[in-house]
Amino acid sequence: MTTAIQSLTEIADGYDAIVLDQWGVLHNGSTPYPGVADALKSITAAGHRLAILSNSGKRADPNADRIRQMGFASGLFTTVMTAGEALWHDVKTGSVPHRSFHVIESRQGDATRWAEGLDIGMGCDIRTADAVLLMGLPDDTTLMPWQPVLDAAGDRNLTVYCSNPDHIAPRAGGRTVLSPGALAREYEQLGGDVVY
């Protein structure tokens, strides 16, 4: 049975930990939602553990840093786990066999920072890459400019590793932007292989 609650404190005692998403729950991508940081401080002060589980294509540490920079107390979350962190570990352990990636990222350098500690090639031409790493999309993009990349990847039967399966993401002012999952879905509809 579904129960409406006014505060996490009403149910926190019934759980070992509370796992939260970040975008759309804690913040809008740049600013925390009003009252969230103080509410979470109260919950941890009462002895409850908090964790972040995010679709972010970046690794856990950069996400933890971003959250702190937004004003959330250091040490508030016992764990931060992201989709990008999971993919990094899959590449590191060899679960992902590819070693040469054509990169799609929201900001230049994101993939290079993500790949630190991995023995892989990044930024390879789509004509020579073993696979595509789809980490992010610029905020002002649409799907249309990416069609040549999708076509080239499809012609070579490349696997696309999508480290953020979201189709849209919130931004300040109630705005939403296109996210990597939308481009991955487009590739799937063309018959391409996508690993989320």
Side-chain angles (χ1 to χ4, degrees):
M1 180 170 145
T2 304
T3 303
I5 61 169
Q6 297 301 311
S7 169
L8 284 176
T9 57
E10 295 175 35
I11 60 168
D13 288 339
Y15 299 92
D16 295 327
I18 299 171
V19 181
L20 303 159
D21 192 3
Q22 55 174 322
W23 272 273
V25 176
L26 302 180
H27 59 76
N28 63 14
S30 57
T31 307
Y33 292 123
V36 171
D38 289 338
L40 295 181
K41 272 198 259 183
S42 297
I43 289 171
T44 57
H48 304 294
R49 293 183 304 160
L50 300 175
I52 297 287
L53 181 62
S54 175
N55 283 338
S56 171
K58 294 180 181 174
R59 294 195 61 198
D61 285 346
N63 277 276
D65 290 342
R66 176 183 316 151
I67 291 166
R68 276 192 297 276
Q69 290 168 7
M70 285 187 195
F72 291 92
S74 184
L76 187 62
F77 303 100
T78 48
T79 301
V80 175
M81 183 61 185
T82 66
E85 184 75 21
L87 179 58
W88 186 93
H89 285 281
D90 283 348
V91 173
K92 181 76 171 175
T93 62
S95 295
V96 170
H98 302 100
R99 290 292 174 256
S100 171
F101 294 90
H102 177 79
V103 173
I104 301 172
E105 58 193 343
S106 58
R107 282 179 288 294
Q108 189 172 4
D110 282 352
T112 302
R113 284 186 290 282
W114 172 86
E116 289 175 6
L118 298 175
D119 186 21
I120 57 174
M122 301 295 288
C124 301
D125 189 286
I126 193 74
R127 294 167 296 185
T128 59
D130 296 335
V132 176
L133 174 61
L134 174 53
M135 286 191 64
L137 294 172
D139 275 2
D140 59 351
T141 198
T142 64
L143 291 178
M144 192 173 54
W146 299 101
Q147 194 62 50
V149 174
L150 298 182
D151 290 342
D155 289 346
R156 298 192 55 233
N157 295 316
L158 297 181
T159 298
V160 170
Y161 292 93
C162 180
S163 65
N164 180 343
D166 288 341
H167 287 222
I168 58 171
R171 294 294 184 262
R175 192 169 68 97
T176 58
V177 298
L178 200 63
S179 287
L183 189 59
R185 172 88 173 143
E186 186 77 10
Y187 188 59
E188 280 182 314
Q189 290 177 339
L190 294 172
D193 180 36
V194 177
V195 176
Y196 292 97

